[in-house]
Amino acid sequence: VLKMADKSQKTTIRYGRRPYGVGMLVIGYDKTGAHLYETCPSGNYFDYKAMAIGARSQSAKTFLERLFDDDGLYELQEAGKEELIKRVLFALRETLASGNETGLTA
């Protein structure tokens, strides 16, 4: 993540523009656990517990915020595969313009 961010930052300074005009979400795992990073075209990067970027990202972020308590603990940490799949489908349905566009129903 750091190398990708550095590459974006160098081209921003050198040329005065941002040829890599996209943000990316990068997932990794190390001895301390899972990590989710967002890289920005400016060269910045941030570590998150949950994040959404792109079209309709604000509604997705709002949905994700509801899954964390005040201490930052994720309510689905111990959830099984079926519950996680159910939540993912619900999240997609909630963040899209309407259920008619997706064919997703409750």
Side-chain angles (χ1 to χ4, degrees), residues 9-97:
Q9 176 62 18
K10 285 177 186 175
T11 56
T12 299
I13 292 172
R14 186 176 302 142
Y15 302 112
R17 56 191 161 110
R18 296 182 177 159
Y20 307 111
V22 297
M24 289 181 21
L25 292 178
V26 180
I27 300 170
Y29 191 86
D30 63 13
K31 62 184 175 187
T32 63
H35 299 276
L36 172 65
Y37 295 97
E38 175 193 13
T39 65
C40 300
S42 64
N44 294 325
Y45 67 96
F46 306 96
D47 188 4
Y48 292 102
K49 291 184 180 182
M51 179 49 124
I53 59 175
R56 303 196 197 284
S57 63
Q58 187 55 51
S59 58
K61 288 178 194 175
T62 302
F63 176 81
L64 291 168
E65 286 172 359
R66 286 187 263 151
L67 296 176
F68 287 85
D69 65 15
D70 293 335
D71 297 324
L73 298 175
Y74 185 53
E75 78 174 36
L76 295 175
Q77 276 176 247
E78 305 299 324
K81 182 171 73 170
E82 296 295 323
E83 180 65 20
L84 291 173
I85 291 171
K86 181 179 169 184
R87 288 296 184 114
V88 166
L89 292 175
F90 182 77
L92 287 171
R93 188 182 72 193
E94 290 295 307
T95 58
L96 295 172

